[in-house]
Amino acid sequence: MGVTLPKVSDRGVVLFHVAALWALQSGLLRRAAEVVIPVSILSEFVEPPKPVEPPPPPPPPPPEPKRQITKTPPPPRPQAIREPKPTPAPNAPTGSVEPPPPPVNLQGFPPSYRLGFGDGCATGRGGPEKKDPVRYGNDGNYRVGWQDGLAQCKKK
């Protein structure tokens, strides 16, 4: 039989162990034992360093004196001057002026819708709000007419 791989590896392992034991016996073990020194012997020769004390903190800076800030009073506001109401011309019309009728043909609509449309249109043209709150809350035709008139006549 020839030399096989398992036989070679087994012989190599045995040879390695023999070499290791020989190295330990011949002095490697002694050198390792000589290096180990007990802690009690070392503590006699080596003193730990003394802690360094930090320098004392610098004294705080003296407080700055407070400056007194004086605010100058604001200048007086201009006052509005009432002008007397101008007197109307002697031939000027008196009383309220009715807005012109809406520019839409409302024939065929119920009277409450036409009234609401007229009131909404008068409001939309920039005059004071003209709305009958009782009718607006209770009459659907008046309410829809007022909303349509406002939308139609609103200033753009």
Side-chain angles (χ1 to χ4, degrees):
M1 291 189 98
V3 180
T4 62
L5 186 62
K7 287 182 183 178
V8 172
S9 65
D10 290 342
R11 289 182 187 159
V13 170
V14 170
L15 183 64
F16 173 74
H17 282 91
V18 169
L21 286 174
W22 174 79
L24 288 173
Q25 291 294 326
S26 67
L28 184 62
L29 186 62
R30 287 189 202 123
R31 287 189 196 133
E34 291 172 2
V35 175
V36 176
I37 301 172
V39 176
S40 61
I41 296 173
L42 278 178
S43 64
E44 293 176 4
F45 296 113
V46 180
E47 292 182 21
K50 294 182 181 178
V52 179
E53 293 183 18
E64 294 183 18
K66 292 184 180 177
R67 293 186 211 162
Q68 291 184 349
I69 300 174
T70 57
K71 291 184 180 179
T72 58
R77 294 185 178 174
Q79 296 281 333
I81 300 173
R82 286 190 181 197
E83 294 183 11
K85 292 183 180 179
T87 55
N91 58 356
T94 58
S96 64
V97 178
E98 281 292 316
V104 178
N105 183 3
L106 297 175
Q107 289 180 350
F109 287 96
S112 61
Y113 178 88
R114 284 188 257 164
L115 182 62
F117 191 95
D119 290 349
C121 189
T123 302
R125 288 183 176 154
E129 184 175 278
K130 187 175 180 186
K131 183 194 300 185
D132 184 351
V134 175
R135 270 194 167 168
Y136 189 85
N138 297 332
D139 188 357
N141 285 329
Y142 179 87
R143 180 175 41 255
V144 171
W146 191 90
Q147 292 168 348
D148 289 348
L150 179 69
Q152 182 75 31
C153 300
K154 200 173 223 180
K155 291 184 179 181
K156 296 177 183 174

